[in-house]
Amino acid sequence: MPKYTLIDLDYRYDALEPYIDELTMVTHHTKHHQGYVNNLNAALEKYPDNPYASLEELLLNLDKLPAAIQTQIRNHGGGTYNHNLFFTSLSKNDGTLPQGKLMEAILRDFGSFEAFKTQFTQQASGRFGSGWAWLIVNKNNKLEVTSTPNQDTPLALGKPILGIDVWEHAYYLKYQNRRPEYIDNFFQVIDWTIVEKRYLDA
Ligand code: MN3
């Protein structure tokens, strides 16, 4: 039975200043993300026959899980998966744009980088309440933006390669009600090299 652990970050909590502040990063990773991991493990303790070797497989088979743990796995397994992706997508990029095959795909599927950014921003700002906006590689191998509520993943639609957390815990200490400003600044801390690698592996 897999037991999940909180991922380590390979950058400092203050590395994304001033766009994402240190206190938000510390709290988000050591309290919120850790909480999802703990609750995921607690749910799996009630499911010793779990046949799914990866978190992705577990989340793709939510409807086959025992009813008593479905909601916990959906929320906390999803929370673990989403934050694993989020925290490993971040690095100050000094305003650089995606390159190579990823940029080619963005131009092919959105027309321009600006058009992609507009759609992604709309999904992130239009998500009512808590949730996520995503860039995914869909089942037709095309890039697509979408959003999910709560800690739902977009795995049923395709493979996520970038996600922005728009729960208030991701931005409220610094931005309060200014979600649009947080979303705009998020574009300063996307590690496009990692997103391109995920695109190539999808
Ligand atoms: Mn979060």
Side-chain angles (χ1 to χ4, degrees), residues 28 32 36 83 132 151 165 167 169-170:
H28 201 178
H32 294 278
Y36 295 118
H83 288 84
W132 293 76
Q151 292 298 348
D165 187 343
W167 283 57
H169 70 225

